Amino acid sequence: MANAVPPVAPVDITTTPEWKALQNHYDALQAEGISLKKWFAEDPQRVEKLSFDTSDLHFDLSKNLVTDETIRLLVNLFKAAEVEDRRKAMFAGEHINCTEDRAVFHTALRRPKEDIGKYIVDGEDTVANVHEVLDKMYAFADRVRSGEWKGVTGKPIKTVVSIGIGGSDLGPVMIYEALKANLTGPACRFVSNIDPNDIAEKVKGLDPETTLMIVVSKTFTTLETITNAKMARWWLLDTLRKNGAIDDSPEKEAEAIAKHFVAVSTNLELVADFGIDPVNAFGFWNWVGGRYSVDSAVGLALILAYGKDVFEELLSGFHDMDLYFEGTPAERNVVVLMAMINIWYNNFFGYETHAVLPYNQYLHRFAAYLQQLTMESNGKSVRWDGSPVLCGTGEIFWGEPGTNGQHAFYQLIHQGTKPVPCDFIAFANSDNPIQCEGQDVHELFLGNFLAQTKALAFGKTADEVRAEGTPEWIVPARVFEGNRPSTSIFGTELNPHTLGELIALYEHITFVEGIVWGIDSFDQWGVELGKQLAKQITPALHDDEALAAQDASTRALIEFYRKARK
Ligand code: F6P
């Protein structure tokens, strides 16, 4: 239950001298003209000054619309927003999720065993609890991966179906896809949508005798997940019976559920009510937000698919980025700078969206994952004390892997009227190093990543276009004005540790932005109304009394449905 009185109000950031200084600086830059070409020419140290390294990743921020003065003023703003105090509070597991009066402590999920006993939150030894569950998951995964864990008919598990939605789905899917080149355990499928097409497609071709279902839900009340879990239970039992693999005795059904269903939740009572043996349930805690939970038991499918060592590497990547974020001075802290540069674009330039463009096909769900992380966290219009926000919040994140995006929406990024800051993510090594007719295909790929960031930053002048013999009237259409900002994130290879760093990077960027805006990045009240209305409206699809209670537009749509429904 939340506190009856509001917490201490956040800093009124837009009224601070630091904000005003940035506004003046922005006006001055606009007046004198922003030119990355000029800034690069004038300052031979620019790349060096704006390059950063974390344990696995190299960052080049030089193609952003910033000068030394911009960075200085952004760091001042970061300090004025008291982010450092708030960061300390988050790393101590304080209740900074104000509207739900909950601790925010996902950073404990990746703390090593040596930290047991050091972080007591709400009376619990959080790190001890984390490792207890991790050990239980590793032991379970070993049994499944080795074939010791058998289904109801004595066959080992070949496929895992993970059922969850939002934070109980997007992280596991994204990481499963990202690491797929090195799959060593059962293949995983993920069911999230309540659209029955999703589960219908995901169980197609599966043998229930060799399938393990994981029901992942923090609350264990989410309509989509519970409905999908019920459908999965029905499918499993029905198919086993039809195949003659089990009889229809309640004992055999209970045994089948016990052998083929496990759960991940904070609500172990509801897990038991569903019929899943609590022995086969893996817990987590209220201090882990759904979208910050992939490194908790929510990632169980990943341990089954990739094993303990890979998951531990992933956790250590997260933890290394935590240490970096916590311990690096703001002026040289790439997490802080990326967040503050995002604020620079969002609040001073008025750039509303932000593209994340991984040059790695295995990261094809990364943007979808980031959308929940960033937009469910920071898409808010009131601050953590209930007062209205004072400036624009919540950038709109989107993206697709390169080079596919190049042939789709990059036109707008290069020449459109709405500039889009971009994060490019690439790796020096490919999981599939292939030579085609003497050409290293990965080099062709990387050439594209480098070319895009260069074209965006430096463009192409009218004179350069003319020099190619272009008719004068077509020249404007072929000019690239440049000064389109981007950050390049380069890694050695996409491995579990790097991925952990990358995810934690964006978690902390989201955190910094949220604090500067004064919002609670850890609640998500904005998803509630739709859930409530769906419960109220669904009966109107077939019930006249419920239909009469709807607004005119909803009624008209339902009338269309009733006529169209076969
Ligand atoms: O509806 C939004 C949300 O609450 C997310 O924040 C969460 O990740 C998702 O639903 C799933 O919730 P649960 O894990 O409780 O099923």
Side-chain angles (χ1 to χ4, degrees), residues 352-372:
E352 293 193 331
T353 86
H354 192 122
V356 178
L357 308 166
Y359 275 64
N360 188 311
Q361 186 59 27
Y362 289 116
L363 285 176
H364 69 104
R365 293 297 289 162
F366 194 62
Y369 169 76
L370 279 190
Q371 283 179 329
Q372 189 203 14

Side-chain angles (χ1 to χ4, degrees), residues 164-169 216-225 264 266 284 289-291 293 298 372 376 524 527-528 531:
I165 196 164
S168 296
D169 169 69
V216 188
S217 176
K218 180 175 169 182
T219 54
F220 227 74
T221 58
T222 303
L223 178 73
E224 289 88 342
T225 301
V264 172
T266 58
F284 63 116
R291 53 196 175 272
S293 67
V298 166
Q372 189 203 14
E376 200 173 73
Q524 58 284 318
V527 298
E528 290 307 318
K531 288 188 198 170

